[in-house]
Amino acid sequence: SGVMEKEASSYMTIRNNRIYDCRYGFVLSNQNGGVTEAVKFHNNIVQCNSGFETVSQASAEMRDVHVYNNTFAGYTSQGANANRHGQAFYIYNNIFHRTSSSVSNADFYTQTGDTGQVKLMDYNLYSRNPKMVIGLWSLDRTYNSLAAWQAAGHRLDANSLLADPKFVNAAAGDFRLAAVSPALMAGRDSSGKAVNIGADALGNEVIGLLPAS
């Protein structure tokens, strides 16, 4: 993992990182007890097999997890997921840029048989029709397009987009948004103000290693 939090971490923020060549970009787990809460993962560029991975045991609480304004690029296993026992996930303003025609798990999945723990999932941009699964490895209710997912009645991704994000030069690792990108001002922050979708929410972020100055 690029970053892994094992258990019982509260008020943790992970931002402005460039994470690549990993199996998982960020793993958030809670294994033995205690509470994991108020975790924010934002303004990161993640180029790993999986973008955001979360796991929780029944004896360990997890809640108030915010995954927003990230660019998940080139993943082949999953973009993001919700876990079996957690509560209150918020997943918004992310670019899910899958270059492969298929994904082994899903662009997004739950492990429970419903989406009740996902309190907000919207204003995301998918570069390919996403594979969404409710109850991975159990129910396996699968949707293979954004339109089918939006029409399923889960009230998730209602304002999300299916489009080429039009990066400046993704092949060279430049994931800034080009002037014609549909992600520009297509997201919403917590106050409802328009922001960009993806890691460059305001367009002036420094993500990854800071310049020498």
Side-chain angles (χ1 to χ4, degrees):
S1 308
V3 178
M4 179 175 181
E5 165 51 33
K6 184 173 181 180
E7 61 184 310
S9 179
S10 297
Y11 301 96
M12 177 176 69
T13 298
I14 300 167
R15 62 184 175 186
N16 297 345
N17 299 284
R18 185 77 176 259
I19 304 172
Y20 59 94
D21 290 347
C22 296
R23 184 175 179 184
Y24 303 105
F26 175 41
V27 176
L28 181 66
S29 62
N30 208 10
Q31 298 185 22
N32 299 308
V35 177
T36 295
E37 64 179 343
V39 175
K40 295 181 178 181
F41 184 74
H42 65 92
N43 296 98
N44 301 288
I45 296 172
V46 182
Q47 295 172 268
C48 300
N49 291 345
S50 296
F52 170 73
E53 166 81 6
T54 177
V55 193
S56 181
Q57 294 183 356
S59 60
E61 292 185 60
M62 183 184 292
R63 57 187 181 233
D64 197 26
V65 177
H66 298 253
V67 179
Y68 64 97
N69 278 111
N70 300 287
T71 296
F72 299 111
Y75 57 91
T76 56
S77 179
Q78 70 195 51
N81 72 291
N83 61 42
R84 193 172 297 280
H85 304 290
Q87 307 167 33
F89 288 90
Y90 301 82
I91 303 170
Y92 58 98
N93 292 354
N94 301 288
I95 292 177
F96 292 94
H97 180 55
R98 173 162 55 89
T99 53
S100 172
S101 61
S102 62
V103 59
S104 57
N105 286 337
D107 293 271
F108 171 78
Y109 69 85
T110 71
Q111 291 185 10
T112 60
D114 57 48
T115 59
Q117 63 186 214
V118 184
K119 302 305 179 185
L120 173 67
M121 185 172 178
D122 207 356
Y123 296 102
N124 298 299
L125 185 150
Y126 302 91
S127 62
R128 289 180 177 267
N129 259 313
K131 175 185 176 182
M132 309 298 210
V133 180
I134 304 299
L136 187 70
W137 306 308
S138 56
L139 186 64
D140 279 329
R141 182 183 298 143
T142 302
Y143 306 92
N144 288 307
S145 72
L146 179 60
W149 175 244
Q150 291 171 327
H154 301 300
R155 295 181 296 177
L156 303 177
D157 276 323
N159 297 288
S160 294
L161 302 174
L162 175 64
D164 181 347
K166 297 191 182 299
F167 298 115
V168 170
N169 191 347
D174 189 344
F175 291 97
R176 292 175 298 161
L177 301 175
V180 294
S181 172
L184 290 169
M185 304 304 284
R188 296 293 183 273
D189 67 12
S190 58
S191 68
K193 180 180 177 181
V195 296
N196 299 336
I197 300 175
D200 290 318
L202 301 177
N204 58 0
E205 287 83 357
V206 177
I207 298 173
L209 295 176
L210 296 175
S213 59

